Amino acid sequence: MKLQLLSLACMLSIGSWAQSTLIPDPVFELLLIEAGLDEFPQDGEVLTASIDTVTTLNLFTSGSTNVTDLSGIGDFVALEYLMVNFAELTSLDLSQNLSLQELHAYANDIHTLLLPPTESLIYLEMTGNPIGSLDVSQNPMLEFLSCSYCELSELDVSGNPELRSISVMVNTLSILDVNENLLLESLSCGVNELMDLDVSGNTLMKTLGCSTNNIGALELSQMDSLNYLGCNSNQLTSLDIQANQGLTYLDCSDNQIASLDASNHPEMIELFCQYNELESLEVSPGIIGLNCSGNQLNALDVSGVLNLAYFFDCSVNPLTCVQVSEAQISDIPDFWVADDED
């Protein structure tokens, strides 16, 4: 009798120790089996002890069947890296994954996301999800944030001073405050509803894309590291880039700019300034591509440009003179007429 009681006690002890985690999504469980974390036959659960030390989980599938439910993910308590791009998730609760450092959830159907309240999270990729709100206030060490092509009408990044890169293109943001993000090097916020964008304190900025908004002015005087600027299709009436001598690419087309001086930019190779109200334009000698069509230019001097080999378009201007060098004269269009005067 004592032996039977002892055997029963051992069985109860083992049963209570072998805790299971429910995995209702069959595709999720199959991926765990393929990773050696579970075994056939599929029964909708996995031993918790098999997953609670896992640090990396890649749930990307190349087939037609994708993960739709990540219930059970909370028991992956040591998880640091989660890849679930191109799945079919509609919600994602990671509030228990306090060790999470990187989340890649590109192109799902996620409407709601619960992030863990942790300083561990540094990388968040949510692009291509119909998410209407995103709370990153409890992730102060976040460095990379990508939530383009979502449905965000607001985004608060004031509690994320470590951010280096923000991508929020194609949303409906009317306000974006990056005054607390002094380490920011890249900002992409094109195709929103912004009327103002204050980047005057973001002195480390290298890449700024803010096209297709309603921005009326940009203060760039403190950005001496800026090398890419895309501010086309806004409401700019002036653009001062004298402090941004490292610019290699500038697109300020489709604005209302009356004059532009890009002559002191030795690294610049492409300039798009078409469809403004330019009456004055100065360009860098190193430029290889220039589109200044659709302006009010009466004269244009490109004689100092070494090689406009990529493209050159100055059409739809009231031009009476385009000044070229002796080396360029053989390459002028057939319909231009060379002036005998220097």
Side-chain angles (χ1 to χ4, degrees):
M1 183 66 177
K2 289 182 179 179
L3 181 60
Q4 290 177 340
L5 289 174
L6 181 60
S7 298
L8 179 60
C10 289
M11 291 175 63
L12 290 173
S13 176
I14 293 172
S16 63
W17 177 80
Q19 182 179 353
S20 293
T21 296
L22 295 179
I23 307 291
D25 188 307
V27 179
F28 185 13
E29 185 181 7
L30 180 59
L31 291 172
L32 295 180
I33 292 172
E34 292 176 350
L37 302 174
D38 196 9
E39 58 185 25
F40 288 110
Q42 290 185 244
D43 56 4
E45 60 182 39
V46 61
L47 289 176
T48 305
S50 297
I51 62 173
D52 61 8
T53 58
V54 172
T55 58
T56 299
L57 194 58
N58 188 341
L59 301 178
F60 173 76
T61 62
S62 57
S64 58
T65 304
N66 294 311
V67 176
T68 61
D69 184 358
L70 276 189
S71 294
I73 195 68
D75 283 348
F76 288 75
V77 293
L79 192 62
E80 298 176 355
Y81 177 97
L82 175 60
M83 165 73 78
V84 65
N85 289 345
F86 300 103
E88 297 178 12
L89 299 174
T90 58
S91 63
L92 184 55
D93 184 354
L94 299 171
S95 58
Q96 303 303 309
N97 303 96
L98 301 180
S99 297
L100 191 65
Q101 298 177 13
E102 291 193 30
L103 170 61
H104 300 255
Y106 181 92
N108 277 260
D109 193 27
I110 297 171
H111 289 73
T112 57
L113 172 67
L114 292 178
L115 292 172
T118 177
E119 295 186 354
S120 298
L121 190 65
I122 60 173
Y123 189 106
L124 177 58
E125 170 62 88
M126 287 297 297
T127 291
N129 285 282
I131 189 167
S133 62
L134 182 61
D135 184 0
V136 290
S137 62
Q138 299 184 80
N139 310 108
M141 303 306 290
L142 195 64
E143 296 182 8
F144 177 95
L145 172 60
S146 181
C147 48
S148 295
Y149 296 91
C150 293
E151 297 180 2
L152 296 173
S153 59
E154 58 182 1
L155 180 65
D156 184 358
V157 290
S158 60
N160 310 99
E162 299 297 318
L163 275 169
R164 268 70 168 178
S165 175
I166 300 176
S167 179
V168 288
M169 297 183 297
V170 194
N171 281 281
T172 58
L173 298 175
S174 59
I175 297 175
L176 182 60
D177 186 348
V178 291
N179 288 318
E180 303 300 323
N181 312 109
L182 301 182
L183 300 179
L184 200 60
E185 298 179 359
S186 176
L187 174 60
S188 299
C189 56
V191 195
N192 276 280
E193 300 173 4
L194 301 173
M195 298 186 69
D196 297 291
L197 183 63
D198 183 2
V199 289
S200 59
N202 304 102
T203 59
L204 302 181
M205 191 84 75
K206 297 178 180 178
T207 301
L208 175 58
C210 56
S211 62
T212 318
N213 281 282
N214 296 301
I215 298 168
L218 284 174
E219 171 55 59
L220 309 173
S221 62
Q222 302 302 311
M223 292 185 186
D224 55 11
S225 297
L226 192 67
N227 57 51
Y228 176 102
L229 176 58
C231 56
N232 53 294
S233 303
N234 278 285
Q235 301 296 321
L236 299 174
T237 57
S238 64
L239 185 63
D240 184 352
I241 55 172
Q242 293 309 299
N244 318 114
Q245 296 182 16
L247 275 174
T248 61
Y249 176 97
L250 171 59
D251 186 350
C252 59
S253 58
D254 295 294
N255 279 284
Q256 301 164 27
I257 301 169
S259 64
L260 182 64
D261 184 355
S263 61
N264 194 28
H265 298 77
E267 305 298 323
M268 186 176 290
I269 57 175
E270 292 184 66
L271 172 57
F272 298 86
C273 55
Q274 67 269 26
Y275 296 102
N276 275 276
E277 298 177 5
L278 291 176
E279 296 180 357
S280 171
L281 174 62
E282 297 181 52
V283 297
S284 169
I287 202 165
I288 63 172
L290 172 63
N291 188 339
C292 58
S293 61
N295 280 286
Q296 301 298 316
L297 297 171
N298 290 305
L300 179 63
D301 184 356
V302 292
S303 61
V305 177
L306 301 177
N307 183 18
L308 274 173
Y310 188 29
F311 61 86
F312 176 40
D313 186 353
C314 61
S315 60
V316 197
N317 276 284
L319 285 167
T320 59
C321 176
V322 177
Q323 187 170 343
V324 298
S325 66
E326 185 175 348
Q328 295 168 331
I329 197 70
S330 60
D331 293 326
I332 66 172
D334 293 337
F335 59 88
W336 286 14
V337 177
D339 195 327
D340 292 334
E341 298 181 4
D342 290 338

